[in-house]
Amino acid sequence: MKKISQDWREQVLSWLKENVSAHRIEHILGVESTCIQLAKLHGISLEKAAQAGLLHDLAKFFPPQKLLKMANKANLKVDPICQNHPHLIHADVSAVVAKKEFGIKSKGVLEAISNHTLGNPQMSDLSCLVYIADSIEPNRGDSPELAKIRQLATQNLYQATWATSDYTLNYLISDRKVIHPRTVLTRNWALSKSLSSND
Ligand SMILES: [Fe+2]
Ligand SMILES: [Fe+2]
């Protein structure tokens, strides 16, 4: 397996230092290491998991107008909810930046970056892994709910994706935030996959 070049990783980190907060970099590094740990457990490419983890939040701090402009330029479909809450498209725009600035060609890595916030029904194992890692990385803290998802993540990616979606939905409801239907679709898909899988 090809290792990620240290130079390439340093380039990404120095770009991140210019474009996101120090606190966000801690989160990103937590997602990267969680992705690597889970990839080892589930037989997924460590290189792709590490890349997707490191690059998933590139556009996290882009202002709303910049997100919309870049999405438009890349011909991304922006639905009315995302139009009103452009922050939701930081995932898709991060994939655009990953491709343009950091030469990522792997469709799987780009999709995993795009899917990290809202998930996607039928998403790949790599996408599930990044979606889960974004919620459970160590800097997210400790709670019984997170402990349960962390345990599930070591055993079954579908069950952990289902639990991550429920966790996100609970947070959105208690914080009176808008729910994008893709989170619900992802939850229902992961639920049905969980019931039909017992690995
Ligand atoms: Fe994000
Ligand atoms: Fe994130």
Side-chain angles (χ1 to χ4, degrees):
M1 184 192 67
K2 198 172 64 150
K3 283 244 162 63
I4 299 181
S5 106
Q6 210 48 38
D7 280 358
W8 179 87
R9 190 169 178 279
E10 289 306 319
Q11 274 176 35
V12 177
L13 287 172
S14 74
W15 188 96
L16 285 168
K17 279 179 196 145
E18 298 293 318
N19 289 278
V20 308
S21 67
H23 184 254
R24 182 57 40 174
I25 292 180
E26 290 303 309
H27 160 73
I28 287 168
L29 294 175
V31 172
E32 181 194 33
S33 60
T34 304
C35 281
I36 293 169
Q37 283 170 20
L38 293 179
K40 281 181 192 161
L41 290 173
H42 295 284
I44 292 168
S45 158
L46 302 192
E47 185 188 25
K48 287 183 179 177
Q51 286 178 341
L54 188 66
L55 300 170
H56 83 283
D57 264 345
L58 291 170
K60 181 78 182 176
F61 281 62
F62 286 6
Q65 285 312 316
K66 183 172 179 175
L67 289 170
L68 289 169
K69 204 173 156 189
M70 287 185 70
N72 196 31
K73 203 174 161 202
N75 291 319
L76 298 173
K77 220 177 109 201
V78 179
D79 63 34
I81 294 181
C82 291
Q83 197 74 41
N84 287 326
H85 301 273
H87 179 67
L88 291 172
I89 55 173
H90 80 272
D92 290 296
V93 175
S94 292
V96 172
V97 180
K99 191 175 177 181
K100 282 193 181 160
E101 294 280 333
F102 301 110
I104 297 297
K105 294 193 178 72
S106 160
K107 201 166 165 252
V109 172
L110 296 172
E111 279 177 3
I113 296 169
S114 290
N115 289 331
H116 86 263
T117 306
L118 301 176
N120 222 333
Q122 274 87 49
M123 65 184 175
S124 69
D125 287 358
L126 178 63
S127 281
C128 287
L129 191 146
V130 180
Y131 179 75
I132 298 160
D134 191 39
S135 288
I136 66 167
E137 62 90 6
N139 299 291
R140 294 295 200 188
D142 289 306
S143 67
E145 293 82 8
L146 282 176
K148 179 72 187 160
I149 304 172
R150 285 175 180 137
Q151 186 231 329
L152 285 173
T154 65
Q155 299 166 350
N156 185 305
L157 286 178
Y158 297 129
Q159 287 179 10
T161 298
W162 163 25
T164 299
S165 304
D166 280 359
Y167 182 74
T168 302
L169 288 164
N170 283 330
Y171 158 75
L172 293 170
I173 290 166
S174 66
D175 226 40
R176 299 183 177 188
K177 290 220 159 70
V178 69
I179 292 173
H180 194 286
R182 228 171 83 190
T183 306
V184 178
L185 294 172
T186 300
R187 184 258 181 197
N188 290 347
W189 166 76
L191 169 64
S192 74
K193 293 292 280 186
S194 297
L195 298 177
S196 61
S197 76
N198 12 284
D199 61 309

